[in-house]
Amino acid sequence: MAANNMDTILQAVQDIIGYRFKERLILWEAMQAAGSNVRYAGDREIMDGNKRLAVIGDTVLQLVLAEQWYNGGTSREQFNQTLSQVASNANLDRIGRQRGLQRFVNGNPSQRQVVSPITMAATMEAIIGAVYLDNDLEQVWEVMQTLGLVPPSHNARESIDDQAYGA
């Protein structure tokens, strides 16, 4: 892909998620579905598309939700429900499409520009993983709020630090 196309995609995705990357190539990696024709992000080899970042993002998403739960005083059952609602592949796919992110996924050429639900969910997780690697959990929480990846009853103005440290 041409550099200007990459720049356009990265700018659009950053606008959607409300975060500016210090290391933009990690976001470029996050936008590469398994089987895409992009093999490198700068000097870094991209193995299996965004799957490696998706593993990190899935874990970080669960960690942020667990920290919110821990500081919120609700039951484990409520946490499990929240995790199922917010971090499910179906919800990640739905939110990614609502925000228009599927337009920027560089998919497997054999898929003919169709972004499957599992690919969209993995891309959402990869974006979360990329934000974490580029910054920290607080920034991940802000991006989650921007995207709507929060429990339905959560006050979007509260942050992890506010809840975790009683600010």
Side-chain angles (χ1 to χ4, degrees):
M1 274 187 186
N4 63 352
N5 189 33
M6 181 180 85
D7 290 339
T8 301
I9 289 169
L10 295 180
Q11 183 65 45
V13 173
Q14 289 177 107
D15 289 346
I16 290 168
I17 70 172
Y19 175 66
R20 297 282 172 244
F21 279 79
K22 294 176 254 182
E23 178 52 54
R24 294 179 41 181
L25 289 177
I26 198 162
L27 177 59
W28 183 240
E29 181 178 348
M31 302 313 295
Q32 306 308 312
S36 86
N37 54 3
V38 174
R39 299 289 177 247
Y40 289 90
D43 294 335
R44 179 175 163 75
E45 185 176 5
I46 300 175
M47 295 186 271
D48 203 19
N50 61 18
K51 295 292 186 181
R52 295 168 71 88
L53 278 174
V55 169
I56 293 170
D58 180 59
T59 303
V60 168
L61 181 60
Q62 290 181 47
L63 175 61
V64 169
L65 292 171
E67 187 171 354
Q68 291 291 315
W69 163 76
Y70 178 80
N71 293 310
T74 59
S75 71
R76 281 188 311 188
E77 180 181 355
Q78 288 170 309
F79 170 67
N80 288 332
Q81 288 173 345
T82 295
L83 197 56
S84 293
Q85 291 171 348
V86 176
S88 71
N89 284 342
N91 189 52
L92 293 168
D93 173 55
R94 181 182 60 78
I95 287 178
R97 289 178 196 285
Q98 282 178 347
R99 303 301 184 270
L101 288 167
Q102 77 281 0
R103 296 174 295 158
F104 307 108
V105 175
N106 187 28
N108 184 325
S110 69
Q111 299 296 318
R112 300 180 186 193
Q113 306 297 325
V114 174
V115 177
S116 72
I118 197 74
T119 298
M120 187 72 257
T123 301
M124 291 289 287
E125 290 169 339
I127 291 169
I128 295 295
V131 171
Y132 171 72
L133 292 176
D134 195 59
N135 202 311
D136 60 16
L137 289 176
E138 178 65 25
Q139 189 61 60
V140 168
W141 178 240
E142 289 180 25
V143 168
M144 287 172 61
Q145 291 177 94
T146 298
L147 292 172
L149 286 173
V150 294
S153 62
H154 185 79
N155 178 350
R157 297 200 185 274
E158 294 178 39
S159 71
I160 288 175
D161 288 339
D162 292 343
Q163 289 188 2
Y165 307 109

